[in-house]
Amino acid sequence: MPQPTLRTDWEGPPPQAAGRKVVMERLTPLAAAFIDAEDEDGTTSMAIGSMAVFAGPAPVFEDFVRMIETRLPTIPRYRQILRTVPLDLAPPAWVDDPGFDVRWHIRNTALPSPGGPAEIGRLISRVMSRRMDRRRPLWEYWFCEGLAGGRWALLSKLHHSMADGVSGTDLYRLVLEPTPQPSPAVPDDPSAQVDGVPAGPASALSFAASAAWDLARTPLVGARALGTALLSPQQLIHQAGQTVSGLLTMASALVPLEVSSLNGPLDGSRRYAWTQVSLQDIRTVRKGLGGSVNDVALAAVTGGLRRLLLSRGEEPTAHMVRSMVPVSMRKPGAESIPDNRVSTMYPYLPVDLADPAARLAAVQERLRARRSAGEPEAGAAMTAIAAYGPFPPVSLGMRVGFHLPQHCIATVTTNVPGPRTTLYAMGRQLQEILPYVPLANRVRIGVAIFSYRDVLTFGVTADYDTVPDLEVLTTGISSSMTELVAAADHAVGVAT
């Protein structure tokens, strides 16, 4: 089934009542689910982000603000707010913020001495765990000075309804450049339409009428999509078969996990820490033991979780840890579009296996089996189908689902490939990027994996009250990677 368009061109219900044409962009059901998650869970902030760390000296803050102002025209979404629809007749829509003030979104802060990992972790957890004000555009930049070694950083925060990890990272293009030489300012014409988005918000009446019209024509849009799909019956049959296979595989994730300390109620506060491994070590493991970069990274996380459980006196079992693994469904060239285009897989992580090579082999096989069964495509298909249905029952179903405590997922592990070349901001070299993933719905630990140049960074978010031993996990990931490298070297030595 073709993917629905996000943009709604509305000319009013009856032609005689139509006024100025209103062009607006509504949230997809997937993006709206992140809003629903916050509404149903008072301990959750669905903000994603990362901290970019630069070589010093830090630029003057006012110069930094002016630089951002000159580049805002490249991302119209940064000047827009979410506007909800009465009675949830349609998904919220992005409309221009008439009172937009860039200085509200760019904050200046400094770390206490010595400005090391502990201070960085506390800042990230404090900023990211606080909910965003939906009366304003859903992004923030925190200009941070006082890092050890004379460095400075930029903490980027945006709501998950605005973007997924891939497009969220790409929003750094407001700041980052491929050379130390700054690029020229972008001309700004606030009265002009950018990428089809109107310069001013629609009136309350036309906005509500637009939602009612969209609800009324939903069956027609769905019928049109089905008619388009029927023009290629062989492809439709293939997609239907793949979706059914994927849904059957996805249904296995509804089986409750064996009880562990990895999931349970959250308190709303977060801890954050990170660890890093070299991509050369990843290549060594792939050469000796096989697998993709994602396979190796997930095996390292599995080893870290195994160590965490053992340190707590819990014996890891085969059905104790199931992870939600987001899968990007973006086509090449769509990385810069600020929306959510992801599906998911739900494999068990083999925390019960003590041998690192066996853990990696199990991760490979489980991910391969779920991909072969079409689990990511099935998730994407269900999201697409939801977009063709009336929004009120879809939203209600999401809210009910978030309100019920889940016992099926123990962690989330997301891997976003980053740039391999060195980048700069205002002439300063970008040294590292520390990724952040939010937590919700009884998941107490999440791991965001991000590559930059020759380093893979594992950013770990944890519930504050129930994960005081976060460093056991981060050091465990590094130790697990060391074990994988040793196992790969041994395998190569035996082979030769």
Side-chain angles (χ1 to χ4, degrees):
M1 182 175 289
Q3 294 290 319
T5 180
L6 299 179
R7 187 160 286 130
T8 299
D9 294 336
W10 177 71
E11 300 188 45
Q16 64 270 22
R20 179 179 63 88
K21 183 175 182 179
V22 177
V23 183
M24 66 183 65
E25 189 172 346
R26 298 195 183 279
L27 293 184
T28 63
L30 175 59
F34 297 119
I35 297 293
D36 292 337
E38 279 191 347
D39 290 342
E40 296 303 318
D41 185 350
T43 67
T44 294
S45 168
M46 294 305 297
I48 61 175
S50 57
M51 175 176 274
V53 180
F54 298 90
V60 176
F61 177 68
E62 289 300 323
D63 293 343
F64 178 81
V65 173
R66 282 192 290 270
M67 184 267 289
I68 296 297
E69 286 182 300
T70 65
R71 299 183 181 183
L72 279 176
T74 64
I75 307 182
R77 182 71 77 245
Y78 268 29
R79 288 173 167 168
Q80 295 180 320
I81 57 175
L82 270 183
R83 190 169 176 180
T84 58
V85 180
L87 304 177
D88 281 339
L89 293 178
W94 297 105
V95 298
D96 285 5
D97 179 10
F100 177 76
D101 179 3
V102 69
R103 291 182 178 274
W104 193 92
H105 297 272
I106 305 177
R107 289 77 179 292
N108 191 4
T109 188
L111 294 180
S113 180
E119 290 75 27
I120 291 174
R122 282 194 290 269
L123 174 67
I124 292 176
S125 60
R126 175 171 57 86
V127 170
M128 299 303 296
S129 62
R130 189 176 61 244
R131 291 191 177 201
M132 306 187 79
D133 185 351
R134 295 187 199 165
R135 297 171 300 177
R136 299 179 181 272
L138 297 176
W139 66 276
E140 297 171 8
Y141 279 161
W142 288 74
F143 181 92
C144 181
E145 301 176 82
L147 277 70
R151 301 183 301 168
W152 63 286
L154 177 64
L155 178 54
S156 172
K157 176 183 179 182
L158 63 157
H159 200 278
H160 213 333
S161 63
M162 180 184 290
D164 56 34
V166 174
S167 63
T169 301
D170 190 72
L171 292 176
Y172 267 126
R173 71 182 185 273
L174 270 180
V175 180
L176 300 179
E177 300 177 284
T179 68
Q181 183 63 35
S183 59
V186 178
D188 187 14
D189 181 3
S191 65
Q193 291 192 8
V194 183
D195 199 23
V197 180
S203 68
L205 178 61
S206 64
F207 186 79
S210 171
W213 180 250
D214 285 346
L215 180 63
R217 71 191 187 102
T218 293
L220 297 177
V221 175
R224 185 183 305 167
L226 180 59
T228 301
L230 289 174
L231 296 177
S232 303
Q234 290 183 335
Q235 182 180 1
L236 179 61
I237 292 172
H238 172 74
Q239 289 180 342
Q242 187 179 46
T243 299
V244 171
S245 174
L247 288 176
L248 291 174
T249 302
M250 189 178 293
S252 66
L254 298 176
V255 178
L257 297 169
E258 296 179 12
V259 177
S260 79
S261 60
L262 297 182
N263 60 353
L266 310 179
D267 79 330
S269 300
R270 302 290 180 256
R271 296 180 189 269
Y272 180 84
W274 74 95
T275 188
Q276 295 173 321
V277 302
S278 73
L279 283 175
Q280 180 56 50
D281 284 347
I282 299 287
R283 288 189 284 268
T284 297
V285 175
R286 295 182 65 193
K287 179 180 178 181
L289 303 176
S292 65
V293 172
N294 189 60
D295 294 335
V296 177
L298 198 55
V301 172
T302 302
L305 290 170
R306 173 181 169 82
R307 283 169 171 75
L308 180 63
L309 290 168
L310 289 171
S311 73
R312 295 175 172 182
E314 301 174 59
E315 184 62 33
T317 64
H319 300 119
M320 184 174 282
V321 181
R322 182 186 289 117
S323 179
M324 183 175 70
V325 180
V327 179
S328 176
M329 305 302 287
R330 289 179 179 271
K331 295 180 180 179
E335 295 82 4
S336 300
I337 301 174
D339 63 1
N340 284 266
R341 301 187 183 186
V342 295
S343 185
T344 49
M345 296 188 293
Y346 300 92
Y348 282 113
L349 300 186
V351 292
D352 56 310
L353 301 179
D355 180 72
R359 283 199 300 268
L360 175 57
V363 167
Q364 287 179 254
E365 173 56 28
R366 293 173 190 185
L367 292 182
R368 184 204 61 77
R370 290 185 171 268
R371 285 196 181 95
S372 298
E375 187 174 30
E377 289 76 14
M382 294 305 294
T383 300
I385 291 171
Y388 288 116
F391 183 70
V394 172
S395 178
L396 177 61
M398 289 288 186
R399 290 174 181 271
V400 170
F402 283 120
H403 187 70
L404 299 174
Q406 67 85 21
H407 301 275
C408 304
I409 301 171
T411 187
V412 56
T413 46
T414 176
N415 185 7
V416 177
R420 297 298 306 277
T421 58
T422 300
L423 298 176
Y424 302 84
M426 301 186 73
R428 281 78 168 174
Q429 184 186 101
L430 172 62
Q431 297 185 333
E432 57 186 341
I433 294 182
L434 314 178
Y436 178 94
V437 62
L439 303 178
N441 207 7
R442 295 174 60 88
V443 175
R444 291 175 170 172
I445 292 175
V447 183
I449 307 166
F450 187 83
S451 59
Y452 171 58
R453 296 196 294 195
D454 290 322
V455 172
L456 198 65
T457 300
F458 297 77
V460 186
T461 309
D463 182 60
Y464 190 90
D465 277 352
T466 58
V467 192
D469 49 354
L470 181 56
E471 72 283 352
V472 176
L473 175 56
T474 54
T475 58
I477 293 173
S478 297
S479 298
S480 181
M481 193 67 218
T482 300
E483 291 179 347
L484 285 167
V485 171
D489 288 338
H490 176 73
V492 171
V494 170
T496 56

